[in-house]
Amino acid sequence: MAMAMSDSGASRLRRQLESGGFEARLYVKQLSQQSDGDRDLQEHRQRIQALAEETAQNLKRNVYQNYRQFIETAREISYLESEMYQLSHLLTEQKSSLESIPLTLLPAAAAAGAAAASGGEEGGGGAGGRDQLRGQTGFFPSPGGASRDGSGPGEEGKQRTLTTLLEKVEGCRHLLETPGQYLVYNGDLVEYEADHMAQLQRVHGFLMNDCLLVATWLPQRRGMYRYNALYPLDGLAVVNVKDNPPMKDMFKLLMFPESRIFQAENAKIKREWLEVLEETKRALSEKRRREQEEAAAPRGPPQVTPKASNPFEDEDDDEPTVPEVEEEKVDLSMEWIQELPEDLDVCIAQRDFEGAVDLLDKLNHYLEDKPSPPPVKELRARVDERVRQLTEVLVFELSPDRSLRGGPKATRRAVSQLIRLGQCTKACELFLRNRAAAVHTAIRQLRIEGATLLYIHKLCHVFFTSLLETAREFETDFAGTDSGCYSAFVVWARSAMGMFVDAFSKQVFDSKESLSTAAECVRVAKEHCQQLGDIGLDLTFIVHALLVKDIQGALHSYKEIIIEATKHRNSEEMWRRMNLMTPEALGKLKEEMKSCGVSNFEQYTGDDCWVNLSYTVVAFTKQTMGFLEEALKLYFPELHMVLLESLVEIILVAVQHVDYSLRCEQDPEKKAFIRQNASFLYETVLPVVEKRFEEGVGKPAKQLQDLRNASRLIRVNPESTTSVV
């Protein structure tokens, strides 16, 4: 009785928990209010736990029973599917037999048509001949709509049908060169865009026994098509697309790495496409499997046909019989070879490039010293298609459209696999193109600061660091390869240097910076360029060649500024001594002249803060020496004559002004002061310029020597007004 009460309590508790309005919080609250103590709550908790375990067991039992039923149902569906395939095969054979009947009667029909035509010519019955002609061509599948090719009594009829249809497709004549190829099914389709399901174009599909050809309509030529694509069946997957009105009667073709969606005219034609595609793929797979098994099966010793004895032949006339050499067979029945194309597809899809190349190396090593019978050629053709797909994926990995982050090391994986595939030249080209895009992007992302020198420091750091990393990664990736790759790298480095110089010149020379700023920027660029010598790469001469025009322009521009300033001061020249007013100013001038290389400036200073030189000559000295110092920072051999001619032009302005002043001045005191300034100019400034130029360039300047020698003062008649220099 107690057990009956416990069962009824458990059933009541189960109903309470299963009720739709059950609330756990309210139930616990009521239970705690109605319980007599802790023991009552523990008993209730045990009942709930027992109920939970019972429920879990029931769920497991139901799941197991449903699983068994599912397995049995799947087995029944499999049986039913095999029976349906058998029935479909029988129907196909029956249809082929029925369609072959007109071909057997074709000769008789042709004869009857000829007789009718001749009778029509004699008695005016031409319409009968046209009816016979229409009957003669009516067995071919129509290009519009969809139809299977039951295809006649043999390979000749199948080939004739394929030839007739493909004559209407432009650009596919090469398909007719494949022996044993015939048309299985064809029909009109509409292609849709995969992402947005927008209608793209009308196409016509031709399913052959080993491939699928897609052709587009030619609107201006009715009944004609243009070749669009060809897909081998062993690399093609067919997926049924669920109807979602108004998008219905669609199916998808998957060809790695792309996919296409087509719409049939109605559900019946869609079902035929799906069925015939699967049947043709299955038949092709079975055919290749049989060929590989036959190729792998060992043959017995060749049978020697006994030579028939001829009593009329002499024994001396018997020629030695050359035994036939049996073609060596290659064992392709191993499991890893059978599954190699599919394994390559999986590796490519999973981006396991190393695994794919390892499989290819294993196959090439196995077939290295073996002959190439038709099964091996067919296997290699299938593998070559995967190699092409793998190469396309690796090329995409190295394309500039991909992310350029990660530096040169991010390309190592794809580059190494391309090299293993024998695509060393392509790997080198793609690697350098990727790095060029990375360098270009890095330069474009630099912020143009207000201070030119700060921007040039950042530009040089970014560019030369990238170039150095690229060179080291290139040496790592292409070590041991063809030396032509290194030539390609040098060409690329020169192109990249041109990109750098464009950005450099735009910021330094196009913005009309001062010569001192330009000289400092060029010095920074040269120092960074010399760092490439650590890896044996010297691009300094390229920098010089690319910058020579800009530097020439800067020197010419600054030379013109100095000449204009000197002429302006000459026009206002009063030939008076300089009064610097304070000892500090005089001391500063002495330091400036000392830094210019004028060590004997003390002898030209007078009492207090006076200087026994003209302001024009002192300013000219400081400006000329400053120009020379900055120009020497920019100097390289291609600029030798430009710099020398600029110096000569600047000095001639001062020399001509002194000469003119000596000729025209009548005041003896001023004339003596002019001679003192001329002496400082000829005997102090010009030798300093000549010496500093020789130190900076490394060889003396004959033009400066000639200018100094020709400008020496000669003693003239003090009363004469025609002083010469």
Side-chain angles (χ1 to χ4, degrees), residues 53-110:
E53 292 175 358
E54 182 182 355
T55 304
Q57 292 295 330
N58 291 335
L59 285 175
K60 290 180 181 179
R61 192 178 302 110
N62 291 335
V63 169
Y64 179 69
Q65 290 177 356
N66 292 338
Y67 183 65
R68 291 183 59 187
Q69 292 176 1
F70 175 77
I71 293 176
E72 292 175 359
T73 304
R75 187 180 295 115
E76 292 296 331
I77 291 174
S78 178
Y79 293 154
L80 180 61
E81 183 182 13
S82 62
E83 292 177 359
M84 290 296 295
Y85 277 129
Q86 292 177 5
L87 180 60
S88 175
H89 185 65
L90 292 174
L91 291 175
T92 303
E93 289 183 350
Q94 293 295 330
K95 181 180 178 181
S96 301
S97 300
L98 291 174
E99 290 179 351
S100 64
I101 293 176
L103 288 178
T104 58
L105 301 177
L106 184 60

Side-chain angles (χ1 to χ4, degrees), residues 560-571:
E560 295 296 329
I561 292 174
I562 295 177
I563 290 176
E564 289 298 323
T566 304
K567 288 181 177 179
H568 178 71
R569 288 192 297 267
N570 291 343
S571 66

Side-chain angles (χ1 to χ4, degrees), residues 173-222:
R173 277 294 175 187
H174 61 283
L175 296 176
L176 302 178
E177 299 175 358
T178 305
Q181 192 177 62
Y182 58 87
L183 185 68
V184 177
Y185 192 77
N186 75 98
D188 291 336
L189 297 168
V190 179
E191 184 176 5
Y192 280 78
E193 202 262 332
D195 295 331
H196 307 290
M197 300 304 292
Q199 182 173 334
L200 294 179
Q201 58 185 345
R202 293 180 61 191
V203 300
H204 196 89
F206 297 91
L207 177 63
M208 268 73 78
N209 58 323
D210 60 350
C211 61
L212 174 65
L213 184 145
V214 179
T216 56
W217 283 74
L218 292 176
Q220 68 275 17
R221 300 175 62 185
R222 186 178 182 86

Side-chain angles (χ1 to χ4, degrees), residues 158-166 176 181-183 208:
K158 295 177 181 179
Q159 185 67 22
R160 186 165 60 249
T161 304
L162 176 64
T163 305
T164 303
L165 279 179
L166 295 185
L176 302 178
Q181 192 177 62
Y182 58 87
L183 185 68
M208 268 73 78

Side-chain angles (χ1 to χ4, degrees), residues 145 493 556:
H556 178 75

Side-chain angles (χ1 to χ4, degrees), residues 56 94 120 149 183 188 201 210 213 242-243 329 376 383 447 455 527 588 685 721:
Q94 293 295 330
D149 181 31
L183 185 68
D188 291 336
Q201 58 185 345
D210 60 350
L213 184 145
K242 185 178 179 180
D243 290 347
K329 301 299 179 183
V376 174
V383 171
R447 293 181 57 187
Y455 173 80
E527 288 180 355
K588 183 179 178 181
V685 176
T721 59

Side-chain angles (χ1 to χ4, degrees), residues 1-10 47:
M1 184 174 181
M3 186 176 296
M5 289 178 65
S6 64
D7 292 341
S8 62
R47 285 198 298 271

